[in-house]
Amino acid sequence: MLKITLKDGSVKEVQKGTTVYDVAASISGRLAKEAVVGAVNGKTVDLSYKLEEDCELSILKFEDSEGAHAFRHTSSHIMAQAVKRLFPDTQLAIGPAIDNGFYYDFDTEHKFVPEDLERIEAEMQKIVKEDLKLERFELPRAEAIKFMAEKGEAYKVELINDLPEDAIISFYRQGDFVDLCAGCHVSSTKEIKSVKLTSLAGAYWRGNENNKMLQRIYGTSFPKASMLDAYLLMLEEAKKRDHRKIGKELGLFALMEEGPGFPFMLPKGMAVKNNLLKYWREVHDKANYVEIETPIMLNRHLWETSGHWFHYKDNMYALEIDNEDFAVKPMNCPGCMLVYKTAMHSYKDFPIRMAEMGRVHRHELSGALHGLMRVRSFTQDDAHIFMLPDQIKDEIIGVVNLIDEVYKTFGFSYHVELSTRPENSMGSDEDWNRAEAALTEALVSLGINYKLNPGDGAFYGPKIDFHLMDCLGRTWQCGTIQLDMQLPQRFELTYIGKDGEKHQPIMIHRVAFGSIERFMGILIEEFAGKFPSWLAPVQVKLLTIADRHIPYAEEVSAKLRAKGIRVELDDRAEKIGYKIREAQLEKGPYMLIIGDKEAELGQVSVRSRDIGELGSLEFDVFVNTLLSEVAERSLKTKFEKVE
RNA sequence: GCCGGUGUAGCUCAAUUGGUAGAGCAACUGACUUGUAAUCAGUAGGUCGCGGGUUCGAGUCCCAUCACCGGCUCCA
């Protein structure tokens, strides 16, 4: 192992041959998108540079530098200016700076093709060379509208009209180009040294699908060409972790044309999934949940009662059987409501925590599908908690803590969002206010920072969402806690209170993993396919040196299997170097090399995927160390090199 | 669903202006019996995503369709 000293003085141990990118990724979660340049002992290196000895490593972040935003914003103006020069009929919409770059939305008769990006880039280079100064000026509203109307910029006029009464309306000028803009910018176009237009996309005006679709061009820019190169390299490195790529390489899951959005779990992926389920049951058992299972398909009447038929009919898989409409469940809640109603409940029973690993199907739009992250069939680790009004806060705190415990087990960092009442919601103001207050209170009392999304709640209640990030920095909702004041009412759920009267229980709906499949996708990217030993589909790979070692290898295999260890034997007549290489590419945590020496002494020669050759160990020592690693769900190897 | 792109052997990729599809790895067979990241030789493998059309001739051009990739929208 190497000792890597970081800029802040902390020391990190990594395996020899680890890339600078991997270190960066492990420091900032998967948010390595911020890491633009690495420097080893003060010397700048590529992110794919392999660390071979102890060193000081710094990861330089352009994001952190002042002016990154202004820099990109100016780049977007230069792109708009270039587009206007090349395609004068173009109307400008909006062009902001974003993480990693910028974009601009255009409305033009000309259909942009990828080759246009090069032309536009070339024109941008000219504008950079022209050294145009950026000048800011303000106009009163009426003049501003007139100014933009004269230029034929209808979108800008609409934007100005929608600005608040007291807004200052500012413009930036660079040469012959003027754009409505609040700022801020660098002082001259010549500061933009390195720019690349990265992609072409459609985007609805103002993000509304009923509006016209505009043409959006994405780009990125940096103060130095070397930083751009490093950024592009970083993207390539990140793509190596893509769960779709690794899932195929390691035989974890498959997506087939025969079932778009319906993932197939292959034996190795199923092993991972089963270990997740085992862990999940353990955690929920400890937290006093009971587990149920409800049918995959239920009749229309149920979905009308729940409100899903009205709200989500188009996204449900419906079918008619014996002249009756049925739908495959898109959620587990209604089934759970029926289970609740199978018995009378007393306030003394509360809270009731009813969990279900439910397979749900949702007909997502074809364009929304994405590997395991966004699918049409997935397994929710669902639970519904029924409780009294004064138990809400504690229950929510309990769930937040449970989700936190689960994520910590995997070493994930996450962020939390609180979404409030949307427009097409059901329920009274009073219910909504109470529900939103309960969620907010729980988050505040836990001291959790959260992002507020006004109007983004579910139609039946507000929610707390937990988001994890993929290898390219896109975030995905995983855990969620939703307070539901609708379903108990619609299903007329009751419990008998202290007063002997019937009352309506409070219910929350929650998931921790969210979708097991999506969580697996995140896991694959987090570990780059190198699952910790408790999750690894194959924990130990046995490699024989020669055919005469097969009997002893089979003996070792049987003994490991008896201990509940997942083993695979490679007894092919290949050279050991070749077998090791293949096993290493399969990313399993341990290899045991079996040759004359081992067979004679009854030992095992251990190799770790992370550390390399460890040396010979007594069989029991190996097994016990591995079992304790698995039992603790350790994220790191507990083995050390035998000297 | 919308905008743009891609689709050739199990995988990763080639194939001049339209002229009968090729490599590496994997697989299979044989030899080698090997000590910590690739042994050698041979064999087999493709209706070029699917369906139309243009043409003497289409992997190459056109239309339609499916899937995937990047966005947008959506995400109970």
Side-chain angles (χ1 to χ4, degrees):
Chain A
M1 297 293 265
L2 306 177
K3 283 194 178 15
I4 305 298
T5 312
L6 299 169
K7 235 187 326 189
D8 61 4
S10 64
V11 176
K12 206 170 166 63
E13 282 204 354
V14 303
Q15 185 200 348
K16 212 171 166 187
T18 302
T19 63
V20 171
Y21 170 81
D22 283 325
V23 177
S26 70
I27 296 169
S28 53
R30 258 174 327 292
L31 191 47
K33 62 174 189 169
E34 291 184 349
V36 171
V37 177
V40 172
N41 295 330
K43 195 176 156 218
T44 306
V45 294
D46 282 350
L47 291 172
S48 57
Y49 178 86
K50 288 187 174 151
L51 299 163
E52 297 296 345
E53 49 193 31
D54 295 356
C55 65
E56 285 179 21
L57 174 66
S58 20
I59 307 291
L60 313 176
K61 294 181 182 178
F62 178 52
E63 289 299 326
D64 292 345
S65 73
E66 272 183 38
H69 186 270
F71 194 84
R72 289 169 180 160
H73 205 161
T74 301
S75 303
S76 86
H77 277 213
I78 294 174
M79 176 168 73
Q81 184 173 18
V83 168
K84 286 289 265 188
R85 283 186 184 178
L86 296 170
F87 310 99
D89 76 310
T90 304
Q91 287 194 58
L92 303 176
I94 296 178
I98 53 173
D99 280 356
N100 304 321
F102 58 89
Y103 68 78
Y104 215 113
D105 287 345
F106 302 106
D107 185 3
T108 165
E109 287 298 310
H110 176 79
K111 292 263 179 243
F112 289 126
V113 293
E115 294 72 51
D116 288 331
L117 298 187
E118 286 167 31
R119 280 179 70 196
I120 297 167
E121 250 177 50
E123 190 63 37
M124 289 175 73
Q125 298 300 350
K126 281 191 208 161
I127 294 167
V128 168
K129 285 214 183 82
E130 286 166 22
D131 188 10
L132 304 174
K133 304 292 177 226
L134 280 102
E135 301 159 34
R136 184 188 145 104
F137 62 93
E138 292 171 12
L139 288 177
R141 179 176 295 255
E143 278 181 49
I145 290 173
K146 189 166 162 246
F147 181 57
M148 276 298 153
E150 279 168 4
K151 286 180 172 293
E153 299 286 1
Y155 294 100
K156 298 293 180 188
V157 171
E158 187 178 330
L159 289 173
I160 297 170
N161 272 323
D162 287 353
L163 286 172
E165 288 280 325
D166 55 351
I168 292 169
I169 300 168
S170 63
F171 294 84
Y172 277 80
R173 182 196 307 280
Q174 58 201 54
D176 57 354
F177 177 82
V178 181
D179 197 359
L180 170 72
C181 183
C184 26
H185 286 278
V186 297
S187 60
S188 160
T189 58
K190 78 162 184 212
E191 290 184 41
I192 312 300
K193 296 285 191 238
S194 178
V195 64
K196 181 175 175 61
L197 302 185
T198 49
S199 67
L200 209 47
Y204 299 107
W205 166 236
R206 299 200 135 179
N208 184 332
E209 63 176 328
N210 298 316
N211 291 341
K212 181 166 186 183
M213 179 162 272
L214 309 172
Q215 299 189 74
R216 174 174 297 180
I217 299 177
Y218 284 92
T220 189
S221 63
F222 292 94
K224 283 188 212 157
S226 64
M227 293 177 88
L228 173 63
D229 292 345
Y231 171 72
L232 296 175
L233 187 69
M234 187 276 301
L235 281 184
E236 270 172 48
E237 291 294 315
K239 276 184 190 154
K240 290 182 187 163
R241 302 184 156 229
D242 192 311
H243 76 283
R244 292 166 297 191
K245 180 175 155 67
I246 293 177
K248 190 187 264 183
E249 286 167 354
L250 302 189
L252 298 170
F253 65 92
L255 289 159
M256 316 208 195
E257 279 198 22
E258 289 80 354
F262 302 120
F264 286 65
M265 278 294 153
L266 304 180
K268 300 252 162 88
M270 199 62 205
V272 174
K273 183 171 175 176
N274 281 334
N275 282 300
L276 291 174
L277 299 191
K278 194 171 148 203
Y279 166 65
W280 181 86
R281 294 215 158 87
E282 204 177 296
V283 169
H284 286 75
D285 206 39
K286 206 173 67 189
N288 283 315
Y289 282 72
V290 293
E291 188 175 353
I292 59 166
E293 184 173 272
T294 66
I296 197 103
M297 197 189 306
L298 293 158
N299 75 9
R300 172 174 176 165
H301 178 252
L302 178 89
W303 303 113
E304 283 176 346
T305 306
S306 68
H308 290 97
W309 195 268
F310 174 71
H311 279 274
Y312 292 105
K313 188 163 64 95
D314 291 345
N315 295 315
M316 285 162 69
Y317 291 97
L319 61 168
E320 194 189 301
I321 295 161
D322 290 346
N323 299 318
E324 191 178 357
D325 289 331
F326 282 82
V328 179
K329 67 177 174 183
M331 287 192 91
N332 305 299
C333 323
C336 183
M337 298 302 101
L338 298 184
V339 171
Y340 179 91
K341 281 168 73 99
T342 59
M344 286 285 278
H345 297 280
S346 154
Y347 73 96
K348 291 178 190 164
D349 303 335
F350 284 171
I352 296 173
R353 308 186 184 95
M354 215 176 260
E356 173 174 17
M357 270 292 168
R359 181 67 164 272
V360 297
H361 290 71
R362 300 177 178 182
H363 185 254
E364 304 290 358
L365 291 175
S366 57
L369 302 179
H370 182 103
L372 288 182
M373 304 296 200
R374 190 81 184 273
V375 292
R376 286 174 171 159
S377 168
F378 58 99
T379 316
Q380 279 186 319
D381 62 318
D382 227 331
H384 297 88
I385 305 179
F386 304 93
M387 69 198 101
L388 304 171
D390 63 8
Q391 293 172 325
I392 297 177
K393 192 175 148 191
D394 282 349
E395 276 309 305
I396 291 174
I397 288 173
V399 174
V400 171
N401 284 335
L402 182 143
I403 292 175
D404 181 66
E405 181 194 331
V406 169
Y407 291 1
K408 279 205 177 111
T409 299
F410 299 95
F412 285 159
S413 51
Y414 59 90
H415 81 267
V416 175
E417 301 187 4
L418 173 66
S419 299
T420 57
R421 186 172 193 175
E423 272 177 29
N424 65 338
S425 58
M426 301 192 301
S428 68
D429 290 351
E430 194 195 339
D431 284 350
W432 273 91
N433 292 339
R434 184 161 54 137
E436 287 175 4
L439 293 185
T440 309
E441 241 176 74
L443 287 177
V444 168
S445 76
L446 283 166
I448 290 175
N449 287 323
Y450 61 90
K451 180 183 161 204
L452 185 66
N453 295 324
D456 273 353
F459 70 85
Y460 50 72
K463 58 179 185 172
I464 295 172
D465 292 332
F466 296 75
H467 294 253
L468 298 173
M469 200 175 285
D470 74 8
C471 64
L472 288 176
R474 295 175 287 210
T475 66
W476 299 89
Q477 180 195 307
C478 289
T480 176
I481 306 173
Q482 310 182 349
L483 223 157
D484 190 329
M485 298 206 178
Q486 278 302 310
L487 284 183
Q489 188 183 331
R490 295 175 79 102
F491 281 88
E492 298 173 331
L493 301 191
T494 58
Y495 67 93
I496 307 299
K498 241 179 197 160
D499 55 6
E501 299 292 320
K502 284 185 177 177
H503 299 275
Q504 185 180 302
I506 303 289
M507 185 186 89
I508 61 177
H509 163 111
R510 48 108 284 179
V511 290
F513 290 142
S515 144
I516 310 295
E517 289 76 8
R518 174 179 292 182
F519 200 82
M520 278 179 66
I522 302 269
L523 273 172
I524 293 167
E525 298 194 357
E526 172 75 12
F527 298 124
K530 293 182 185 176
F531 292 108
S533 57
W534 73 275
L535 275 174
V538 176
Q539 295 164 313
V540 177
K541 185 105 183 183
L542 300 177
L543 310 176
T544 50
I545 302 251
D547 290 352
R548 64 177 176 281
H549 306 121
I550 293 176
Y552 178 63
E554 283 173 342
E555 196 184 311
V556 171
S557 169
K559 277 161 78 181
L560 288 169
R561 225 173 271 281
K563 295 279 186 184
I565 293 167
R566 298 183 288 279
V567 190
E568 225 172 61
L569 171 60
D570 182 352
D571 58 4
R572 293 174 302 172
E574 296 288 350
K575 288 177 84 169
I576 193 67
Y578 179 78
K579 293 196 198 183
I580 286 173
R581 177 184 156 78
E582 291 213 328
Q584 195 75 36
L585 293 174
E586 286 168 11
K587 301 178 193 257
Y590 300 109
M591 287 155 251
L592 297 185
I593 284 80
I594 311 236
D596 287 333
K597 200 171 66 182
E598 290 72 27
E600 231 170 81
L601 299 173
Q603 291 188 330
V604 288
S605 177
V606 186
R607 184 185 165 93
S608 148
R609 99 192 135 196
D610 299 313
I611 303 173
E613 188 176 355
L614 294 178
S616 285
L617 288 176
E618 293 298 329
F619 179 78
D620 289 344
V621 172
F622 172 70
V623 169
N624 291 335
T625 309
L626 175 54
L627 286 179
S628 80
E629 190 176 305
V630 169
E632 289 172 29
R633 299 202 167 86
S634 171
L635 295 175
K636 285 196 291 191
T637 179
K638 298 185 74 164
F639 286 92
E640 281 173 17
K641 218 165 183 142
V642 182
E643 294 303 336

